[in-house]
Amino acid sequence: MSGSCLVSKLAAALAVSGCVGLIALGTPAHAQTDTQPPVLSHAPGKLVVPRTAPPMTAANAAPGVLDYDGIPTVEGASAANVAGLMAYCYGHNLTTDTTVRVLGRKLARKPGVSTSPAYAWGGVGRLMLDKNTMFDVTTLKPRLQAAVCSRSALRGPDLLNTK
């Protein structure tokens, strides 16, 4: 998938969720790969997604990252990351439950959530396992992606009640 297509789909998914819009800046073609989303700029209404090491995938996940049913834990995900994942899940038809869309919108309204890089990573299907480690949910089979969406949605209400 090209970088501009990825940005368009991300922007559309986030717009559907009622969240802040993202605007891409010019990124060198060599920097736009399937493992590295485009860099976005932070200013009012814009977001910076810092470059990071490539995320873990279903093929190279470290031992213990995937649980007994083949999906990563969502316990380390922040409110911002879960809000972005809700937009990703709903935008990619991994769930048709409007609760996911509503949860994503409510989380995105929390202070600092919609301007967090973790929100943008979630919006492109990246689950933050901790502050320094990401898992690329898009590398899972669709039914497992849907399971990550469900588990993230179950974590959402707790995140709504925290500061």
Side-chain angles (χ1 to χ4, degrees):
M1 178 180 301
S2 75
S4 62
C5 182
L6 182 63
V7 171
S8 297
K9 286 187 176 190
L10 173 60
L14 293 174
V16 165
S17 72
C19 303
V20 71
L22 300 175
I23 301 172
L25 292 179
T27 304
H30 68 279
Q32 294 182 348
T33 67
D34 287 340
T35 60
Q36 195 73 357
V39 175
L40 304 170
S41 172
H42 181 65
K46 296 181 185 178
L47 219 54
V48 173
V49 179
R51 293 186 189 277
T52 62
M56 279 189 259
T57 65
N60 70 3
V65 168
L66 301 178
D67 65 11
Y68 66 91
D69 55 359
I71 67 171
T73 181
V74 299
E75 295 306 312
S78 66
N81 192 230
V82 170
L85 277 170
M86 296 299 92
Y88 172 82
C89 295
Y90 193 78
H92 286 84
N93 299 318
L94 296 170
T95 179
T96 56
D97 185 356
T98 58
T99 304
V100 168
R101 184 178 65 194
V102 171
L103 175 63
R105 287 178 176 174
K106 285 181 178 180
L107 285 170
R109 284 194 291 265
K110 288 184 68 149
V113 167
S114 64
T115 57
S116 169
Y119 177 72
W121 285 122
V124 294
R126 303 277 174 88
L127 173 65
M128 303 293 292
L129 301 175
D130 61 40
K131 290 182 180 182
N132 301 314
T133 312
M134 281 190 285
F135 184 87
D136 189 350
V137 175
T138 68
T139 63
L140 295 170
K141 293 178 181 177
R143 69 176 179 78
L144 295 177
Q145 288 183 48
V148 171
C149 295
S150 295
R151 288 232 183 119
S152 298
L154 289 173
R155 179 161 162 63
D158 290 336
L159 294 169
L160 280 171
N161 296 325
T162 61
K163 289 188 176 188

